[in-house]
Amino acid sequence: MNRRQRRAVFALYRTLLRRRWHRLGPTMKSLGALLVTISAVVAGGAFLLAFLLGFFLLPNASGVGVLLAWDGVLLAFLFFRVWGMVTDLRVADVLSMQNLLHLPLTPSDVFLLNVIALHLQPSPLIFGAAFLGLSLASIFALGPGHAILLPLALAAFWCVIALTRQLQTFLASLMVNKRRRGTIVAVCVMVPMLLIQLPNIFMQVQLWDSLDRSDTEPRQLVEVELSDSGAPSQGLLVTNLALPPAWLAVGAYQAKRDRFWPAAAGTLGLLAVVGWSLRRSYRSALRVYRRSERQRVARRGEQASSPRTRRHGIAEGYWSFFPPIAATVGRASLRQWVRSPHGKQALVTSILVLLLAALAALRLEEVSKSQPYVGLGLAALCSFGPIVFATNLFGWDRGGFRVLLATGPPRRLVLLGKNIGLVPMTLGPGIAVLVATQLLWPQPATHFLASGLQVLVFCLVLFMIGNHFSITAPWAVSFMSLKQRGEAVASNLGAFLVAAFSVGAVMLGIAGLLALERLVADAGWPAPLYLIFSVLELGLAALWYRDALRYQAKALPAQEERILEAINTPVD
């Protein structure tokens, strides 16, 4: 390439760069400056707050108070660090190794850049400033001997970053397999939520146990706790020693008692953990970017592609009740929804509702007096769990929606197939919760049967609302993250409000019917008014759904181009 050609290429590159900066420059520049400013202000406030609180409170605090203070800061940092990592599992590194390896950099250099970039994220900046402020406060408030806490806090801070970085790299290696992505995202989101609820459940169980005991036992327990307030419990110390980042709290506790060698030993131990974790993370990153994991997944896929015998069971009997086109669309949609992280989250939510209901049944006998409202309310909650699918039936197809339209099926069968694919995810959990509440808090058989019919009504109402929003407000879906775009949040919120209003109106009618049924029974003329009304309501809802399906099938062709444009917007 001669000099003239090089100038032409440089001029073309400069023109493209100017055009791209002209479009994205002002927005990204202002957004980046805003984020940097907010992070700097919050980090400065965290440093000042930690320093002032530590300077005024640490001199009068006991050893247990110092231990719990550092534990609280560490837990908060770990929570925000893990939550920020889980919200978007698609990105394993701040700087992609694939995009930097063409530069004169070795893989170790790129890995080091990623580790340094982790310190510039909001949560490490804010909590790093808090660690620094509390460490300096310990030096000024408790004496120069506590200067050993400064390297200990720095080592604990690096330990949290290194361990979470290792976890992030491990999850990224698992996310290479597309079939695992939905399960990994759902599990990574639900596990922190369960861990957050465990202390609440534990405290509730302890409260119930204390209420069942006599008044003398709680007083004795309180006296023992007050007498031992100067020293932490054995379980608290063992827990802190078992978790390496918590060695910071143990070192601060021992330094408060004028023992400084545990802090020095903890610093060396934490630095060793940091080195080990970074070494493992580097090796995992190399395996990911060398495609060894993808090759292994491909080999497993070839082994799994062997022909299998097709089984006929209850599922095949269910699909045989519907036209072949609708059954095919419903079966494909159901498989796609169940494999997505949103589908797994909806199923796990139903299981959590069952567990919480069983936990409440162990202590709350008064709930049986409010049947069937409790069972029907929980069933409606579980039935509306997959509302994210009902309000965006075509967004999950992406390019498959174009193929579906090219085959020219009747639009009414397409909508019907999408709806019957939702039945196992809506009606199944709702009936399961209704049966569980019936076993925990029994009610009359007529009420239980009527509540089951009401769940069918709720599902039909959800399908009609979902079809409308799927046609008028479609949105693109991410299959690797639970994040939602602005139009998705607006669509789901609107559908939820409409569905909640419908359920509330039905529940008010049920309350009036149950009151009327009780009055008639007291007058000596018992009649299952709730069941009779439920049968009539289900018939009216079925007729309404049939007419709405015809109308929506006629409105769908006019919106197909807009739906294609909306659902094919890149989000991953």
Side-chain angles (χ1 to χ4, degrees):
M1 182 181 294
N2 55 29
R3 186 175 182 182
R4 185 176 180 181
Q5 291 175 341
R6 286 197 300 269
R7 287 182 178 179
V9 172
F10 178 73
L12 177 62
Y13 176 76
R14 183 174 57 186
T15 303
L16 295 176
L17 185 61
R18 285 179 178 177
R19 289 182 179 179
R20 181 175 297 179
W21 180 254
H22 177 71
R23 294 179 180 178
L24 301 179
T27 302
M28 297 302 295
K29 194 173 182 180
S30 59
L31 181 59
L34 179 62
L35 291 177
V36 171
T37 304
I38 292 176
S39 300
V41 171
V42 176
F47 172 80
L48 184 61
L49 180 63
F51 181 81
L52 292 178
L53 290 178
F55 184 78
F56 289 106
L57 298 180
L58 285 178
N60 299 325
S62 61
V64 179
V66 174
L67 180 70
L68 295 178
W70 281 106
D71 280 338
V73 176
L74 283 168
L75 286 176
F77 177 39
L78 184 61
F79 171 79
F80 283 101
R81 178 75 183 97
V82 172
W83 188 257
M85 178 188 65
V86 167
T87 52
D88 197 356
L89 292 174
R90 298 172 294 175
V91 181
D93 297 312
V94 179
L95 303 174
S96 176
M97 186 177 290
Q98 293 178 351
N99 297 333
L100 293 178
L101 287 181
H102 68 282
L103 299 175
L105 297 173
T106 62
S108 59
D109 296 334
V110 179
F111 180 79
L112 181 60
L113 287 175
N114 280 316
V115 174
I116 296 175
L118 286 177
H119 293 73
L120 303 179
Q121 293 181 349
S123 59
L125 278 177
I126 295 171
F127 284 96
F131 279 27
L132 180 61
L134 195 56
S135 301
L136 294 178
S138 301
I139 298 174
F140 287 101
L142 301 178
H146 288 78
I148 190 63
L149 295 182
L150 191 59
L152 179 62
L154 186 61
F157 176 76
W158 285 342
C159 184
V160 173
I161 290 181
L163 292 177
T164 52
R165 176 68 174 78
Q166 182 180 354
L167 176 61
Q168 188 175 10
T169 308
F170 171 72
L171 293 176
S173 64
L174 296 179
M175 293 281 286
V176 173
N177 188 348
K178 295 182 179 181
R179 294 182 179 271
R180 294 178 182 173
R181 289 177 180 175
T183 304
I184 295 170
V185 173
V187 170
C188 291
V189 172
M190 295 304 298
V191 167
M193 295 177 63
L194 290 176
L195 293 178
I196 293 173
Q197 292 297 326
L198 284 179
N200 183 26
I201 297 175
F202 177 76
M203 294 183 66
Q204 291 293 334
V205 173
Q206 292 293 329
L207 178 61
W208 290 334
D209 291 340
S210 63
L211 292 177
D212 292 340
R213 296 174 184 175
S214 61
D215 294 336
T216 57
E217 292 181 354
R219 291 176 184 174
Q220 293 175 358
L221 290 175
V222 170
E223 292 177 358
V224 171
E225 291 178 358
L226 291 177
S227 62
D228 294 338
S229 61
S233 62
Q234 190 69 22
L236 182 61
L237 281 177
V238 171
T239 303
N240 280 271
L241 291 175
L243 302 175
W247 294 349
L248 170 60
V250 177
Y253 165 71
Q254 296 292 344
K256 180 69 176 178
R257 303 175 63 184
D258 296 332
R259 298 177 182 176
F260 301 104
W261 67 266
T267 302
L268 297 177
L270 287 174
L271 292 177
V273 172
V274 169
W276 169 81
S277 181
L278 291 178
R279 184 169 177 266
R280 293 291 302 270
S281 299
Y282 176 65
R283 290 186 174 183
S284 299
L286 285 181
R287 285 197 300 268
V288 171
Y289 290 106
R290 286 174 178 172
R291 300 292 189 267
S292 61
E293 293 292 335
R294 287 189 177 182
Q295 295 175 0
R296 186 180 305 175
V297 171
R299 288 194 298 267
R300 292 179 181 177
E302 293 175 358
Q303 296 175 0
S305 61
S306 58
R308 299 179 182 179
T309 58
R310 189 174 181 179
R311 299 180 180 179
H312 297 274
I314 299 177
E316 294 297 329
Y318 167 72
W319 299 115
S320 64
F321 283 105
F322 305 99
I325 295 178
T328 303
V329 173
R331 183 181 300 173
S333 301
L334 176 62
R335 180 176 299 178
Q336 190 175 38
W337 291 332
V338 171
R339 289 178 176 177
S340 66
H342 303 77
K344 293 178 172 61
Q345 186 182 22
L347 295 177
V348 172
T349 301
S350 302
I351 297 174
L352 290 179
V353 170
L354 285 174
L355 294 177
L356 294 178
L359 184 63
L362 298 176
R363 297 290 177 176
L364 302 179
E365 299 179 357
E366 294 81 3
V367 178
S368 59
K369 301 178 182 179
S370 58
Q371 277 279 55
Y373 307 111
V374 173
L376 191 57
L378 293 176
L381 177 64
C382 292
S383 298
F384 286 7
I387 193 172
V388 67
F389 303 118
T391 57
N392 193 29
L393 296 174
F394 311 114
W396 305 87
D397 295 337
R398 289 282 184 92
F401 182 64
R402 187 186 300 274
V403 178
L404 178 63
L405 297 180
T407 58
R411 302 305 185 256
R412 184 179 62 85
L413 294 181
V414 172
L415 291 175
L416 178 62
K418 293 288 186 178
N419 293 154
I420 63 177
L422 276 174
V423 169
M425 300 185 67
T426 56
L427 185 61
I431 296 298
V433 171
L434 198 62
V435 172
T437 53
Q438 174 69 16
L439 296 176
L440 297 174
W441 304 292
Q443 59 177 326
T446 56
H447 289 181
F448 172 72
L449 182 58
S451 298
L453 298 179
Q454 291 295 332
V455 175
L456 287 173
V457 174
F458 292 158
C459 291
L460 292 177
V461 172
L462 177 64
F463 294 161
M464 288 185 283
I465 297 173
N467 291 342
H468 174 75
F469 279 89
S470 299
I471 296 172
T472 58
W475 44 275
V477 176
S478 173
F479 292 90
M480 294 180 290
S481 175
L482 293 176
K483 286 184 176 181
Q484 294 184 0
R485 300 165 64 93
E487 59 270 22
V489 176
S491 176
N492 291 334
L493 181 59
F496 177 78
L497 292 178
V498 176
F501 176 79
S502 304
V503 172
V506 173
M507 294 292 286
L508 289 176
I510 292 173
L513 282 173
L514 290 176
L516 181 60
E517 182 179 343
R518 190 177 298 108
L519 290 176
V520 173
D522 294 339
W525 297 88
L529 298 180
Y530 180 28
L531 179 59
I532 296 174
F533 174 80
S534 299
V535 173
L536 295 177
E537 185 184 6
L538 179 59
L540 293 175
L543 294 176
W544 190 14
Y545 172 75
R546 185 190 64 180
D547 296 337
L549 194 64
R550 292 176 180 174
Y551 174 78
Q552 291 164 350
K554 294 179 180 178
L556 178 58
Q559 301 291 330
E560 289 175 355
E561 292 297 330
R562 194 172 66 86
I563 294 174
L564 279 172
E565 182 180 357
I567 65 178
N568 287 316
T569 303
V571 291
D572 291 333

